[in-house]
Amino acid sequence: MIDFPLIAVVLAAGKGTRFKSEKPKVVHQILGKPMLWYTIFAVRWIKPQKTVIVVGHKKDEVINAVNCDGCEFVYQQEQLGTGHAVYTAKDYFKDFDGYVLIINGDTPLVRGETLHNAGEYLKALIRYEGADLTNYRGYRNKSIAGVVLTARVPNPYGYGRVIKDKDHRVIKIVEEKDATNQEKQINEVNSGIYFFYAPYLTQALEKLENKNAQQEYYLTDVIEILRQEEKYVYALEIPDYTEILGVNDRLQLAGVENILKERYITFWALNGTTFHNPQSIWIEFDVDLSRDVEIHQNVVLQGKTSIDEGTVIEPNCIIKNSKIGKNVKILANSYIEDSEIQDNAVIGPFARIRGGSVIKEEAVIGNFVEVKNSVIGRKTNARHLSYLGDAEVGEEVNIGAGTITCNYDGFKKHKTVIKDRAFIGSDTMLVAPITIGEEAITGSGSVITKDVPDKALAIERNQQKIIENYAEKRKKKYEKN
Ligand code: UD1
Ligand code: CA
C-alpha cells in the first residue's frame, strides 16, 4: 500500500471507436466483469486517498457497470484527448501536495503490486535526490516530476514510443500517428500509467496544446513540457509486458481475456488444482479452489464459486455462484447455479441445479433431473428424469424416475414437502402444496393431490384389467375388414 499522499485518476471517458459498439468500450466484459473493473481493482489495491474516474461517452452506463463504492466520477463532456481528460479532473488535485496516479481505463491487466512497486521506485528516486520523505512540502523545488511505467512489447504498433536519455529520464513520448519511421522502431512503449507530482502536473496541463496528428490534448506532452523546466519524469520498465496491454478493439479484448484466464489457472494449478486441457477452461476472478480439485475440459466456473478438496468436475459443466463441498462428483454436462452442493454428493451427468438449491451430503442427483429452489436431504436419491421445484426433501428419500413436483398452478408457486425415508414411486405427480410423510410410499404413476400420512401408501390409478387372448381377437377383427 502506498504510504505517501496519492490521488488516483482513471481515464474512462472515451468512446472506443475501434470497438464498433453501442456500448462504451470500458464496460465490455472480461471474464464476467467490465474491463474497467480490473483497472479500478488494481488502483484501489494500493489504497489511494481518492479514486476519481473520468467518464464521458455514455457515462451513466459506465458508472452503473463499475458500481464502485467510494469512487468519485467527473464528467468530460467532449473527449478532446487524455490530457484534456486529466484536466477535467484537476479540481481534485490542483491544491494537493502529493502525487497523482493516472491510469487509462483500458489497461485491465496491470497488477496492484506493480503500481505499488512503481510507488516504491518513486520514493527511492526522491530519497536519492535528498528530499525529506517525511515532509513532502520540502520537495517542491526538486527536479523529480514523476514516473511513467513502460514496457518492451513484441509489437509496439499503436502505442506511444518512449524516448529517454541515458539516466532513464523521459525526453518525450511520441504517439504512433506522430512518430517518424525511426521512432517507430522503438519498442519501449508508454503503458498509460503515470505518477505525477500534483503541483507540477497542474502547471503543465495548463500549457498543453493539440498541435498533433489527432488534434488532441495528449497527456504524454506533459512530460516534455516539464522537462523544459528541468523537472523530470523517469521511465520504469516493467518486466511483464502483458500487464500494460491496452484494449482498443475486440481482438485485443479476447487476447487480454485469455492472458487473464491463464494467470488464474497458473495460480490455482500451483496451489494444487489439476486442470485437464486448461486452455479450454473458463475461470473467473471470484472463484476459489481448494487442493486436489480436478477440473476437466470445457468446464466454466463463474462468479463467486468455491470448490472444496477432492472434488472432481467432469467435462462441459457450468457452475455459477455456487458452493461445492468436498469429494463431490459433478459428472459431465451438468449446470449448477446459485446453489450449494454438500460433501460427497454426486450430480449428473446432464443434471441441472437451479437457484436456491441445497443438495446435502451424499445425495445423488442423476441424469436429466432438474432441481430448483429445493433442499434435497442427506443420502436422498433422485437418479433419473425428474423435476423437483420448491421442494423440501428429507433424508434417505428415494425419488423414482419421472417424478414431478407440480409446483405451479398457473398463478402461484407451491411447496412440496417429502419427509425422511419416503419412497416416491416412479412417475409420481406431486401436486403442491403437499406433504408426504415419513416412510410413506406413493404408487408409480399416481397423481397425488392430498397429504400422505407417515408410513402410508398413496396410490391413485385404475385397477389393472386383464383380457385373456386379446391379441387373437384383435387379429381376427382386422382379417374381417
Ligand atoms: C494512450 C497513450 C499512449 C499509450 C497508450 C497505452 C496518449 C496521448 N497516448 O494511447 O501513449 O501508449 O494509451 O495504452 O495518452 N480517454 C478519455 N478522454 C479522452 C480520451 C481518452 O477519458 O478524451 C480515455 C479512454 O477512455 C481510454 C484512455 O483514456 O481509457 C486512453 O485513451 P486511448 O484513446 O485509448 O489512447 P491510446 O491511443 O491507446
Ligand atoms: Ca488505448
Side-chain angles (χ1 to χ4, degrees):
M1 303 342 81
I2 291 292
D3 55 358
F4 53 81
L6 182 73
I7 288 174
V9 177
V10 182
L11 308 186
K15 194 167 171 182
T17 316
R18 288 165 278 181
F19 257 68
K20 309 212 161 88
S21 176
E22 283 299 307
K23 283 192 292 183
K25 176 172 83 172
V26 292
V27 310
H28 279 262
Q29 294 207 336
I30 294 176
L31 296 182
K33 288 189 193 293
M35 182 194 311
L36 183 57
W37 182 90
Y38 294 93
T39 310
I40 295 173
F41 180 81
V43 166
R44 301 205 15 154
W45 196 82
I46 63 168
K47 299 195 164 51
Q49 276 156 257
K50 266 192 191 127
T51 301
V52 181
I53 302 173
V54 182
V55 290
H57 179 68
K58 299 199 173 168
K59 67 173 170 44
D60 297 324
E61 237 178 281
V62 176
I63 294 169
N64 283 337
V66 296
N67 185 25
C68 177
D69 241 8
C71 287
E72 306 197 36
F73 294 91
V74 284
Y75 179 39
Q76 185 194 17
Q77 199 157 10
E78 258 187 299
Q79 287 83 57
L80 304 177
T82 49
H84 180 258
V86 176
Y87 187 80
T88 311
K90 73 173 187 314
D91 284 350
Y92 284 94
F93 56 78
K94 68 179 196 308
D95 301 316
F96 180 57
D97 193 10
Y99 288 82
V100 185
L101 162 62
I102 300 169
I103 183 164
N104 287 348
D106 63 353
T107 312
L109 292 184
V110 68
R111 292 180 163 96
E113 289 96 316
T114 301
L115 299 178
H116 173 81
N117 292 343
E120 291 295 311
Y121 175 71
L122 178 63
K123 272 165 57 183
L125 283 173
I126 297 166
R127 203 176 290 131
Y128 179 71
E129 287 274 309
D132 178 4
L133 268 178
T134 57
N135 176 8
Y136 284 86
R137 274 161 233 288
Y139 174 61
R140 198 158 301 205
N141 299 322
K142 298 296 168 189
S143 67
I144 296 169
V147 167
V148 53
L149 273 66
T150 71
R152 290 186 195 275
V153 292
N155 176 12
Y157 178 80
Y159 290 94
R161 309 299 204 280
V162 178
I163 299 170
K164 303 188 293 196
D165 65 19
K166 61 176 179 16
D167 296 320
H168 297 282
R169 298 184 304 196
V170 180
I171 297 168
K172 60 176 177 175
I173 292 176
V174 190
E175 292 306 301
E176 178 80 36
K177 288 185 175 141
D178 304 296
T180 63
N181 282 335
Q182 206 185 355
E183 286 166 340
K184 282 181 186 162
Q185 303 305 308
I186 298 170
N187 72 345
E188 181 173 4
V189 303
N190 171 23
S191 64
I193 305 167
Y194 325 75
F195 288 80
F196 287 111
Y197 184 50
Y200 294 176
L201 173 66
T202 310
Q203 289 162 25
L205 285 172
E206 298 288 347
K207 296 180 187 156
L208 280 184
E209 290 182 282
N210 64 349
K211 292 180 190 145
N212 52 54
Q214 305 185 79
Q215 296 189 324
E216 284 184 4
Y217 294 90
Y218 291 162
L219 176 63
T220 43
D221 288 349
V222 158
I223 296 173
E224 212 180 336
I225 292 169
L226 289 172
R227 190 179 171 93
Q228 279 155 16
E229 298 167 12
E230 294 178 345
K231 291 165 181 151
Y232 299 103
V233 173
Y234 285 72
L236 174 62
E237 192 185 321
I238 60 173
D240 177 5
Y241 77 87
T242 66
E243 285 192 53
I244 69 136
L245 291 174
V247 179
N248 299 309
D249 60 39
R250 294 182 199 237
L251 273 179
Q252 290 172 334
L253 183 82
V256 157
E257 187 166 72
N258 275 335
I259 293 169
L260 195 61
K261 219 161 55 113
E262 210 175 294
R263 267 197 210 165
Y264 296 164
I265 286 177
T266 304
F267 176 83
W268 292 116
L270 296 177
N271 199 56
T273 297
T274 297
F275 294 97
H276 299 286
N277 191 4
Q279 288 80 359
S280 72
I281 292 166
W282 177 281
I283 180 168
E284 297 183 355
F285 176 87
D286 293 311
V287 169
D288 187 20
L289 304 175
S290 295
R291 297 171 72 163
D292 288 321
V293 166
E294 194 169 340
I295 298 177
H296 289 261
Q297 65 185 355
N298 296 324
V299 165
V300 174
L301 303 177
Q302 295 181 307
K304 253 193 153 2
T305 288
S306 64
I307 303 180
D308 216 333
E309 280 177 40
T311 287
V312 178
I313 321 278
E314 285 197 348
N316 309 323
C317 289
I318 299 174
I319 306 177
K320 274 185 198 172
N321 295 317
S322 295
K323 183 173 178 327
I324 315 290
K326 290 192 177 75
N327 301 312
V328 170
K329 287 191 173 48
I330 315 267
L331 306 181
N333 303 301
S334 295
Y335 191 114
I336 299 172
E337 60 184 325
D338 302 310
S339 291
E340 181 185 344
I341 314 291
Q342 296 185 353
D343 299 352
N344 302 303
V346 179
I347 309 292
F350 296 98
R352 178 165 182 212
I353 314 293
R354 289 167 56 199
S357 299
V358 180
I359 313 297
K360 296 206 173 162
E361 290 165 44
E362 293 176 63
V364 178
I365 303 296
N367 7 218
F368 307 106
V369 174
E370 175 180 344
V371 179
K372 187 215 77 177
N373 190 33
S374 294
V375 178
I376 308 297
R378 229 184 94 251
K379 290 191 169 173
T380 284
N381 288 338
R383 291 180 181 259
H384 330 269
L385 297 157
S386 280
Y387 172 60
L388 301 171
D390 306 306
E392 196 185 299
V393 183
E395 296 186 7
E396 296 179 53
V397 169
N398 187 74
I399 308 278
T403 295
I404 286 173
T405 54
C406 310
N407 60 332
Y408 185 52
D409 59 11
F411 300 97
K412 277 174 96 175
K413 300 279 168 66
H414 300 283
K415 199 166 167 177
T416 300
V417 177
I418 303 174
K419 299 216 170 138
D420 296 350
R421 293 176 302 284
F423 184 95
I424 308 299
S426 294
D427 205 22
T428 300
M429 301 294 125
L430 298 162
V431 180
I434 194 157
T435 299
I436 311 296
E438 259 184 49
E439 290 180 48
I441 299 163
T442 68
S444 303
S446 298
V447 178
I448 305 295
T449 52
K450 295 188 203 102
D451 289 354
V452 181
D454 292 353
K455 301 190 183 204
L457 165 70
I459 184 158
E460 185 277 341
R461 64 188 184 215
N462 286 341
Q463 288 286 329
Q464 183 169 325
K465 251 196 247 170
I466 300 284
I467 303 174
E468 299 289 352
N469 237 340
Y470 181 77
E472 282 303 311
K473 287 182 199 158
R474 186 161 153 268
K475 224 187 270 169
K476 281 196 188 123
K477 194 168 135 198
Y478 276 100
E479 280 163 4
K480 248 192 253 163
N481 291 332

